[in-house]
Amino acid sequence: MKAVLFDRPGPPDVMKLVDLEIPSINKNQMLIKVRYSGVNRPDIVQREGNYPSPPGHSEILGLEISGIIYKIGSNVTAFKEGDEVAALVNGGGYAEYCVADQETAFKIPNNISLKEAATIPECFFTVWSNLVMRGGLKKNDCVLVHGGTSGIGVAAIQILKLFDSEIYTTVGNEQKKEFCKKLGAHYVFNYKETDFFDEIKIIKPKGLNLILDFIGGEYVKKNINLLSSEGKLINIGFQNGSIVDINLMKVMLKRLTITGSTLRIRDSSFKAEILSQLKKFVFPHFENGEIKCYIDSVFKIEDVIQSHKRLEKGSHIGKIVLEF
Ligand SMILES: NC(=O)c1ccc[n+]([C@@H]2O[C@H](COP(=O)([O-])OP(=O)(O)OC[C@H]3O[C@@H](n4cnc5c(N)ncnc54)[C@H](OP(=O)(O)O)[C@@H]3O)[C@@H](O)[C@H]2O)c1
Protein backbone atom coordinates (compact mmCIF):
# COMPACT_ATOMS: atom_id res chain seq x y z
CA MET A 1 0.00 0.00 0.00
CA LYS A 2 1.01 3.64 -0.43
CA ALA A 3 1.95 5.39 2.84
CA VAL A 4 3.71 8.56 3.94
CA LEU A 5 6.89 8.08 5.99
CA PHE A 6 9.87 10.22 6.92
CA ASP A 7 13.29 8.83 7.81
CA ARG A 8 14.51 11.87 9.77
CA PRO A 9 12.76 14.79 11.48
CA GLY A 10 12.64 17.98 9.46
CA PRO A 11 10.72 20.27 7.10
CA PRO A 12 7.76 19.08 4.96
CA ASP A 13 9.97 17.62 2.22
CA VAL A 14 11.35 14.89 4.51
CA MET A 15 8.01 13.13 3.87
CA LYS A 16 8.06 10.45 1.17
CA LEU A 17 5.33 8.33 -0.38
CA VAL A 18 6.54 4.72 -0.07
CA ASP A 19 5.21 1.18 -0.61
CA LEU A 20 4.55 -0.78 2.59
CA GLU A 21 2.88 -4.02 3.63
CA ILE A 22 -0.81 -3.65 4.54
CA PRO A 23 -0.95 -3.68 8.38
CA SER A 24 -2.52 -6.63 10.25
CA ILE A 25 -5.34 -6.28 12.79
CA ASN A 26 -6.18 -7.94 16.11
CA LYS A 27 -9.64 -9.29 16.95
CA ASN A 28 -10.92 -5.93 18.29
CA GLN A 29 -9.71 -3.93 15.32
CA MET A 30 -10.76 -3.12 11.79
CA LEU A 31 -8.77 -2.42 8.65
CA ILE A 32 -10.08 0.67 6.89
CA LYS A 33 -9.50 1.45 3.22
CA VAL A 34 -8.77 5.12 3.68
CA ARG A 35 -10.49 7.67 1.45
CA TYR A 36 -9.66 10.82 3.42
CA SER A 37 -7.26 11.70 6.22
CA GLY A 38 -7.32 14.92 8.27
CA VAL A 39 -4.13 16.98 8.63
CA ASN A 40 -3.53 18.34 12.12
CA ARG A 41 -0.88 20.51 13.75
CA PRO A 42 0.27 17.55 15.89
CA ASP A 43 1.31 15.81 12.60
CA ILE A 44 3.68 18.70 11.98
CA VAL A 45 5.08 18.58 15.50
CA GLN A 46 5.61 14.80 15.05
CA ARG A 47 7.30 15.30 11.66
CA GLU A 48 9.63 17.86 13.28
CA GLY A 49 10.64 15.23 15.84
CA ASN A 50 9.00 16.88 18.86
CA TYR A 51 6.00 14.56 19.34
CA PRO A 52 7.15 10.97 18.73
CA SER A 53 4.45 8.33 18.31
CA PRO A 54 3.87 6.55 21.66
CA PRO A 55 4.87 2.86 21.99
CA GLY A 56 2.42 0.63 20.12
CA HIS A 57 1.26 3.42 17.79
CA SER A 58 1.98 3.44 14.04
CA GLU A 59 5.07 5.38 12.91
CA ILE A 60 3.02 6.61 9.94
CA LEU A 61 1.56 10.11 10.39
CA GLY A 62 -2.19 10.72 10.56
CA LEU A 63 -4.56 10.71 13.55
CA GLU A 64 -7.97 10.69 11.86
CA ILE A 65 -9.47 9.03 8.81
CA SER A 66 -12.63 8.22 6.94
CA GLY A 67 -13.12 5.33 4.53
CA ILE A 68 -14.64 1.91 3.94
CA ILE A 69 -14.20 -1.07 6.27
CA TYR A 70 -12.11 -3.64 4.40
CA LYS A 71 -11.73 -6.27 7.11
CA ILE A 72 -12.99 -6.75 10.68
CA GLY A 73 -11.57 -8.65 13.67
CA SER A 74 -13.56 -11.53 15.16
CA ASN A 75 -14.70 -9.45 18.20
CA VAL A 76 -16.00 -6.54 16.14
CA THR A 77 -19.76 -6.49 16.45
CA ALA A 78 -20.78 -2.88 15.80
CA PHE A 79 -19.57 -2.76 12.20
CA LYS A 80 -19.36 -4.92 9.09
CA GLU A 81 -17.15 -4.96 6.01
CA GLY A 82 -18.22 -2.34 3.49
CA ASP A 83 -19.50 0.15 6.11
CA GLU A 84 -18.47 3.77 5.70
CA VAL A 85 -16.83 4.99 8.90
CA ALA A 86 -14.61 7.66 10.40
CA ALA A 87 -12.16 7.00 13.21
CA LEU A 88 -9.69 8.48 15.62
CA VAL A 89 -6.59 6.31 15.07
CA ASN A 90 -3.27 5.63 16.77
CA GLY A 91 -1.29 7.01 13.83
CA GLY A 92 -1.25 5.43 10.38
CA GLY A 93 -3.81 7.74 8.76
CA TYR A 94 -1.58 8.90 5.89
CA ALA A 95 -1.80 5.47 4.24
CA GLU A 96 -4.08 3.54 1.89
CA TYR A 97 -5.07 1.13 4.67
CA CYS A 98 -5.24 2.02 8.35
CA VAL A 99 -5.99 0.05 11.52
CA ALA A 100 -8.80 1.42 13.71
CA ASP A 101 -10.08 0.24 17.11
CA GLN A 102 -13.81 -0.40 17.02
CA GLU A 103 -14.20 1.79 20.18
CA THR A 104 -12.97 4.94 18.43
CA ALA A 105 -14.70 4.45 15.07
CA PHE A 106 -18.17 5.70 14.20
CA LYS A 107 -20.71 5.59 11.42
CA ILE A 108 -20.79 8.86 9.50
CA PRO A 109 -23.53 11.15 10.85
CA ASN A 110 -26.33 11.84 8.33
CA ASN A 111 -25.76 15.05 6.44
CA ILE A 112 -21.96 14.67 6.60
CA SER A 113 -19.89 13.49 3.61
CA LEU A 114 -17.04 11.01 3.82
CA LYS A 115 -14.62 13.88 3.14
CA GLU A 116 -16.07 16.02 5.93
CA ALA A 117 -16.13 13.09 8.35
CA ALA A 118 -12.33 12.79 8.23
CA THR A 119 -12.10 16.24 9.86
CA ILE A 120 -14.19 15.37 12.92
CA PRO A 121 -12.26 12.98 15.20
CA GLU A 122 -9.06 14.76 16.32
CA CYS A 123 -10.55 18.20 16.95
CA PHE A 124 -13.98 17.25 18.28
CA PHE A 125 -12.57 14.56 20.63
CA THR A 126 -9.94 17.03 21.88
CA VAL A 127 -12.28 19.96 22.34
CA TRP A 128 -15.12 18.02 23.96
CA SER A 129 -12.82 16.23 26.39
CA ASN A 130 -11.09 19.46 27.41
CA LEU A 131 -13.90 22.01 27.50
CA VAL A 132 -16.66 19.76 28.78
CA MET A 133 -15.14 16.76 30.58
CA ARG A 134 -12.02 18.46 31.98
CA GLY A 135 -13.23 22.07 32.00
CA GLY A 136 -16.73 21.41 33.34
CA LEU A 137 -18.22 23.89 30.84
CA LYS A 138 -21.62 25.13 32.03
CA LYS A 139 -24.48 26.92 30.23
CA ASN A 140 -23.79 30.65 29.73
CA ASP A 141 -20.12 30.49 30.73
CA CYS A 142 -17.80 33.16 29.32
CA VAL A 143 -15.07 31.35 27.40
CA LEU A 144 -11.94 32.41 25.50
CA VAL A 145 -10.55 30.07 22.84
CA HIS A 146 -7.33 31.16 21.18
CA GLY A 147 -6.82 30.61 17.44
CA GLY A 148 -10.49 30.71 16.42
CA THR A 149 -9.99 29.55 12.82
CA SER A 150 -7.74 26.58 13.64
CA GLY A 151 -9.23 23.09 13.39
CA ILE A 152 -9.47 23.19 17.18
CA GLY A 153 -10.91 26.73 17.28
CA VAL A 154 -13.66 26.01 14.74
CA ALA A 155 -14.75 22.90 16.66
CA ALA A 156 -14.58 24.78 19.98
CA ILE A 157 -16.70 27.75 18.86
CA GLN A 158 -19.39 25.39 17.56
CA ILE A 159 -19.43 23.31 20.76
CA LEU A 160 -19.55 26.49 22.89
CA LYS A 161 -22.64 27.63 20.97
CA LEU A 162 -24.44 24.50 22.17
CA PHE A 163 -23.86 25.74 25.73
CA ASP A 164 -24.98 29.33 24.99
CA SER A 165 -21.50 30.49 25.95
CA GLU A 166 -20.30 34.06 25.61
CA ILE A 167 -17.49 33.31 23.14
CA TYR A 168 -14.20 35.22 22.89
CA THR A 169 -11.48 34.32 20.39
CA THR A 170 -8.21 35.53 18.84
CA VAL A 171 -7.16 35.42 15.17
CA GLY A 172 -4.34 36.74 12.99
CA ASN A 173 -6.16 38.69 10.26
CA GLU A 174 -9.41 40.44 9.33
CA GLN A 175 -10.68 37.65 7.06
CA LYS A 176 -10.40 35.22 9.96
CA LYS A 177 -12.12 37.75 12.20
CA GLU A 178 -15.12 37.88 9.87
CA PHE A 179 -15.23 34.07 9.67
CA CYS A 180 -15.28 33.67 13.46
CA LYS A 181 -18.03 36.27 13.84
CA LYS A 182 -20.16 34.44 11.28
CA LEU A 183 -19.43 31.17 13.05
CA GLY A 184 -20.87 32.60 16.26
CA ALA A 185 -18.04 34.11 18.32
CA HIS A 186 -19.23 37.25 20.15
CA TYR A 187 -15.85 38.98 20.50
CA VAL A 188 -12.99 38.40 18.05
CA PHE A 189 -9.58 40.05 18.48
CA ASN A 190 -6.94 40.33 15.77
CA TYR A 191 -3.91 39.67 17.96
CA LYS A 192 -1.64 41.40 15.46
CA GLU A 193 -3.53 44.68 15.88
CA THR A 194 -4.98 44.74 19.39
CA ASP A 195 -4.11 43.26 22.75
CA PHE A 196 -6.88 40.78 23.59
CA PHE A 197 -5.99 41.19 27.26
CA ASP A 198 -6.72 44.96 27.35
CA GLU A 199 -9.92 44.51 25.33
CA ILE A 200 -11.35 41.70 27.45
CA LYS A 201 -10.48 43.51 30.68
CA ILE A 202 -12.77 46.34 29.55
CA ILE A 203 -15.57 44.12 28.16
CA LYS A 204 -15.59 41.66 31.05
CA PRO A 205 -14.01 43.20 34.18
CA LYS A 206 -15.27 40.33 36.31
CA GLY A 207 -13.31 37.88 34.19
CA LEU A 208 -13.84 34.69 32.19
CA ASN A 209 -14.87 31.24 33.41
CA LEU A 210 -12.77 29.15 31.06
CA ILE A 211 -9.86 29.56 28.64
CA LEU A 212 -8.72 26.96 26.08
CA ASP A 213 -5.22 27.80 24.88
CA PHE A 214 -2.57 26.20 22.67
CA ILE A 215 -0.35 29.26 22.28
CA GLY A 216 1.24 29.43 25.76
CA GLY A 217 4.31 31.70 26.07
CA GLU A 218 3.32 35.25 26.95
CA TYR A 219 -0.39 34.25 26.80
CA VAL A 220 -0.15 32.23 30.03
CA LYS A 221 0.16 35.28 32.29
CA LYS A 222 -2.58 37.14 30.39
CA ASN A 223 -4.87 34.12 30.55
CA ILE A 224 -4.40 33.79 34.31
CA ASN A 225 -5.13 37.49 34.80
CA LEU A 226 -8.30 37.26 32.69
CA LEU A 227 -9.92 34.43 34.67
CA SER A 228 -12.65 35.08 37.22
CA SER A 229 -12.72 33.39 40.64
CA GLU A 230 -12.79 29.58 40.26
CA GLY A 231 -11.84 30.00 36.57
CA LYS A 232 -9.99 27.33 34.63
CA LEU A 233 -7.11 27.57 32.17
CA ILE A 234 -6.67 24.51 29.95
CA ASN A 235 -3.56 24.25 27.78
CA ILE A 236 -3.57 21.73 24.93
CA GLY A 237 -0.44 23.08 23.30
CA PHE A 238 2.39 25.59 23.70
CA GLN A 239 3.09 26.93 20.21
CA ASN A 240 4.93 29.95 21.70
CA GLY A 241 6.70 28.04 24.49
CA SER A 242 5.92 26.23 27.71
CA ILE A 243 8.51 27.81 29.99
CA VAL A 244 7.08 30.98 31.48
CA ASP A 245 7.61 33.32 34.40
CA ILE A 246 4.33 33.65 36.33
CA ASN A 247 3.22 34.83 39.75
CA LEU A 248 1.08 32.04 41.22
CA MET A 249 -0.47 34.39 43.81
CA LYS A 250 -3.43 34.95 41.45
CA VAL A 251 -4.03 31.20 41.31
CA MET A 252 -4.35 31.10 45.09
CA LEU A 253 -6.37 34.29 45.50
CA LYS A 254 -8.85 33.47 42.69
CA ARG A 255 -8.90 29.71 43.40
CA LEU A 256 -7.97 29.00 39.77
CA THR A 257 -7.36 25.66 38.12
CA ILE A 258 -4.52 25.40 35.62
CA THR A 259 -4.65 22.16 33.72
CA GLY A 260 -4.09 20.57 30.31
CA SER A 261 -4.04 17.29 28.45
CA THR A 262 -3.00 15.46 25.30
CA LEU A 263 -5.44 13.13 23.60
CA ARG A 264 -3.08 10.75 21.85
CA ILE A 265 -1.62 8.99 24.90
CA ARG A 266 -4.99 8.36 26.55
CA ASP A 267 -6.24 4.76 26.56
CA SER A 268 -9.01 3.52 24.29
CA SER A 269 -11.60 3.31 27.09
CA PHE A 270 -11.23 7.06 27.73
CA LYS A 271 -11.48 7.78 24.00
CA ALA A 272 -14.55 5.52 23.83
CA GLU A 273 -16.15 7.58 26.62
CA ILE A 274 -15.50 10.80 24.68
CA LEU A 275 -17.05 9.24 21.57
CA SER A 276 -20.14 8.12 23.44
CA GLN A 277 -20.68 11.68 24.73
CA LEU A 278 -20.07 13.15 21.25
CA LYS A 279 -22.64 10.75 19.76
CA LYS A 280 -25.19 11.82 22.34
CA PHE A 281 -24.59 15.56 22.55
CA VAL A 282 -22.83 16.65 19.33
CA PHE A 283 -23.64 14.28 16.45
CA PRO A 284 -27.35 15.23 16.41
CA HIS A 285 -26.20 18.78 15.64
CA PHE A 286 -24.18 17.57 12.62
CA GLU A 287 -27.35 15.86 11.47
CA ASN A 288 -29.56 18.93 11.80
CA GLY A 289 -26.91 21.16 10.19
CA GLU A 290 -26.25 23.29 13.28
CA ILE A 291 -22.63 22.10 13.40
CA LYS A 292 -20.66 21.96 10.15
CA CYS A 293 -17.28 20.69 9.01
CA TYR A 294 -15.30 23.59 7.56
CA ILE A 295 -12.75 22.36 5.01
CA ASP A 296 -10.07 24.80 3.90
CA SER A 297 -8.48 22.62 1.21
CA VAL A 298 -8.07 19.07 -0.08
CA PHE A 299 -4.75 17.66 -1.32
CA LYS A 300 -4.06 14.38 -3.13
CA ILE A 301 -1.85 12.11 -1.02
CA GLU A 302 0.91 12.65 -3.61
CA ASP A 303 0.82 16.35 -2.59
CA VAL A 304 1.20 15.71 1.15
CA ILE A 305 4.21 18.06 1.29
CA GLN A 306 2.05 20.92 -0.03
CA SER A 307 -0.62 20.14 2.57
CA HIS A 308 1.89 20.56 5.41
CA LYS A 309 3.28 23.73 3.86
CA ARG A 310 -0.22 25.19 3.76
CA LEU A 311 -0.84 24.36 7.43
CA GLU A 312 2.54 25.81 8.42
CA LYS A 313 1.86 29.03 6.50
CA GLY A 314 -1.16 29.51 8.76
CA SER A 315 -3.49 31.15 6.23
CA HIS A 316 -5.97 28.24 6.30
CA ILE A 317 -9.42 28.51 7.84
CA GLY A 318 -10.71 25.21 9.20
CA LYS A 319 -9.31 21.84 8.21
CA ILE A 320 -6.93 20.51 5.57
CA VAL A 321 -7.68 17.06 4.16
CA LEU A 322 -5.66 14.43 2.27
CA GLU A 323 -7.44 12.37 -0.36
CA PHE A 324 -6.65 8.84 -1.59
N1 LIG B 1 -3.38 18.33 23.41
C1 LIG B 1 -4.05 17.71 22.46
O1 LIG B 1 -4.59 16.63 22.65
C2 LIG B 1 -4.16 18.36 21.10
C3 LIG B 1 -4.91 17.75 20.09
C4 LIG B 1 -5.02 18.42 18.85
C5 LIG B 1 -4.39 19.64 18.66
N2 LIG B 1 -3.64 20.17 19.67
C6 LIG B 1 -2.95 21.47 19.51
O2 LIG B 1 -3.93 22.43 19.21
C7 LIG B 1 -3.36 23.43 18.35
C8 LIG B 1 -4.24 23.65 17.15
O3 LIG B 1 -4.18 22.49 16.32
P1 LIG B 1 -4.82 22.55 14.86
O4 LIG B 1 -4.53 21.27 14.20
O5 LIG B 1 -6.21 23.06 14.96
O6 LIG B 1 -3.84 23.67 14.21
P2 LIG B 1 -3.98 24.77 13.12
O7 LIG B 1 -5.25 24.61 12.35
O8 LIG B 1 -2.70 24.82 12.38
O9 LIG B 1 -4.08 26.10 13.97
C9 LIG B 1 -3.05 26.83 14.54
C10 LIG B 1 -3.63 28.24 14.74
O10 LIG B 1 -2.87 29.02 15.62
C11 LIG B 1 -3.14 30.39 15.25
N3 LIG B 1 -2.16 31.23 15.93
C12 LIG B 1 -0.81 31.25 15.75
N4 LIG B 1 -0.25 32.17 16.58
C13 LIG B 1 -1.26 32.69 17.32
C14 LIG B 1 -1.32 33.66 18.36
N5 LIG B 1 -0.21 34.27 18.80
N6 LIG B 1 -2.53 33.95 18.90
C15 LIG B 1 -3.65 33.34 18.48
N7 LIG B 1 -3.66 32.41 17.48
C16 LIG B 1 -2.48 32.10 16.90
C17 LIG B 1 -3.04 30.32 13.72
O11 LIG B 1 -3.68 31.29 12.95
P3 LIG B 1 -3.40 32.88 13.00
O12 LIG B 1 -1.97 33.08 13.40
O13 LIG B 1 -3.68 33.45 11.65
O14 LIG B 1 -4.38 33.36 14.00
C18 LIG B 1 -3.80 29.01 13.47
O15 LIG B 1 -5.20 29.27 13.31
C19 LIG B 1 -1.94 22.97 18.03
O16 LIG B 1 -1.04 23.63 18.90
C20 LIG B 1 -1.99 21.49 18.34
O17 LIG B 1 -0.74 20.95 18.67
C21 LIG B 1 -3.52 19.56 20.88
Side-chain angles (χ1 to χ4, degrees):
M1 66 169 186
K2 279 190 215 159
V4 176
L5 278 183
F6 55 99
D7 51 15
R8 64 194 150 85
D13 45 23
V14 296
M15 293 186 291
K16 302 259 176 321
L17 199 57
V18 295
D19 272 317
L20 291 181
E21 291 288 309
I22 293 177
S24 52
I25 53 170
N26 69 32
K27 51 193 180 180
N28 297 313
Q29 294 177 324
M30 313 187 291
L31 189 64
I32 315 293
K33 184 155 175 36
V34 177
R35 290 289 312 285
Y36 298 98
S37 181
V39 177
N40 292 285
R41 177 84 33 179
D43 305 345
I44 289 185
V45 188
Q46 183 178 347
R47 193 203 69 224
E48 290 170 338
N50 298 319
Y51 193 41
S53 52
H57 286 213
S58 171
E59 290 293 322
I60 301 169
L61 294 173
L63 301 170
E64 59 184 356
I65 54 161
S66 66
I68 318 291
I69 299 179
Y70 184 75
K71 200 175 181 184
I72 58 169
S74 55
N75 283 353
V76 173
T77 50
F79 301 97
K80 61 181 187 323
E81 286 160 13
D83 283 351
E84 287 191 343
V85 290
L88 181 75
V89 293
N90 292 333
Y94 291 13
E96 261 180 298
Y97 293 88
C98 179
V99 176
D101 291 333
Q102 67 168 335
E103 292 93 342
T104 54
F106 54 89
K107 291 197 173 125
I108 317 284
N110 292 332
N111 219 8
I112 293 291
S113 68
L114 205 52
K115 189 192 290 177
E116 291 168 327
T119 70
I120 294 174
E122 178 67 10
C123 289
F124 278 88
F125 276 64
T126 299
V127 170
W128 184 268
S129 63
N130 282 289
L131 283 181
V132 182
M133 297 164 76
R134 176 160 295 274
L137 176 66
K138 296 188 294 299
K139 276 250 170 204
N140 302 117
D141 272 351
C142 299
V143 184
L144 167 63
V145 176
H146 288 292
T149 57
S150 63
I152 290 288
V154 172
I157 290 170
Q158 297 191 89
I159 285 177
L160 289 170
K161 277 165 67 183
L162 302 179
F163 287 80
D164 297 322
S165 308
E166 189 167 288
I167 306 168
Y168 298 72
T169 193
T170 51
V171 293
N173 66 38
E174 293 304 300
Q175 188 200 359
K176 292 184 173 189
K177 196 168 169 177
E178 277 315 300
F179 174 87
C180 286
K181 281 190 177 160
K182 282 200 185 121
L183 193 61
H186 300 95
Y187 300 99
V188 188
F189 309 101
N190 180 345
Y191 68 86
K192 290 180 183 156
E193 292 194 340
T194 51
D195 187 331
F196 71 89
F197 176 80
D198 295 339
E199 303 272 344
I200 297 175
K201 269 284 175 208
I202 295 167
I203 300 165
K204 203 79 199 168
K206 280 190 177 164
L208 306 170
N209 304 104
L210 202 54
I211 300 177
L212 181 68
D213 183 29
F214 52 77
I215 303 298
E218 74 282 12
Y219 281 21
V220 177
K221 197 185 280 181
K222 292 182 177 184
N223 290 335
I224 288 174
N225 285 322
L226 280 175
L227 285 170
S228 61
S229 296
E230 309 283 351
K232 279 190 184 172
L233 169 60
I234 304 173
N235 265 92
I236 58 165
F238 289 98
Q239 288 183 187
N240 285 1
S242 57
I243 298 175
V244 291
D245 181 18
I246 50 166
N247 180 350
L248 291 171
M249 189 64 78
K250 286 269 166 61
V251 176
M252 180 176 78
L253 295 176
K254 296 199 281 183
R255 302 176 299 285
L256 304 180
T257 302
I258 301 180
T259 180
S261 74
T262 55
L263 178 65
R264 187 163 189 186
I265 51 158
R266 303 304 298 273
D267 61 28
S268 58
S269 65
F270 178 71
K271 291 173 183 169
E273 174 56 28
I274 305 173
L275 179 56
S276 97
Q277 295 192 19
L278 284 174
K279 280 181 180 166
K280 191 165 168 194
F281 300 111
V282 175
F283 284 15
H285 300 279
F286 281 121
E287 302 200 336
N288 69 20
E290 241 175 290
I291 295 188
K292 292 191 171 65
C293 298
Y294 290 89
I295 295 181
D296 171 81
S297 43
V298 181
F299 292 83
K300 298 270 180 216
I301 192 63
E302 290 77 8
D303 297 324
V304 63
I305 292 173
Q306 266 58 47
S307 75
H308 275 215
K309 285 185 176 167
R310 174 141 185 95
L311 197 86
E312 286 184 349
K313 196 167 152 229
S315 51
H316 63 288
I317 291 181
K319 299 274 301 198
I320 296 173
V321 179
L322 293 171
E323 180 177 29
F324 283 85

